[in-house]
Amino acid sequence: MLYAILSEDIANSLEKRMSARPAHLQRLQDLQDEGRLVIAGPHPAIDSNSPGDAGFTGSLVVAEFTSLELANNWADSDPYMAAGVYAKVSVKPFKQVFPQ
């Protein structure tokens, strides 16, 4: 089943994000290599793909896991969690309707 992992950053998270980014991206690459990643990316703090010093306010990952428990475990072990980037993370089952 697919799960949406919605994360909200702490204020001024950019420095912490940048330090943990390589490990964070590697985990996403692993999901992609396994054919389980649907979409992933950050939410810019301003209306720009390159927000510069404004940074980001959170992230979205939609990926396939065999259970909600495993999706939660994956989210909890994100390097951004360990680095203190995220203030809050929600994991919810997700039913993809479009695109088909």
Side-chain angles (χ1 to χ4, degrees), residues 8-19:
E8 295 178 28
D9 283 21
I10 62 166
N12 303 308
S13 63
L14 189 58
E15 185 176 323
K16 289 181 178 186
R17 262 186 177 268
M18 300 293 30
S19 68

Side-chain angles (χ1 to χ4, degrees), residues 3 52 66 83 92:
Y3 295 88
T66 56
K92 300 178 180 185

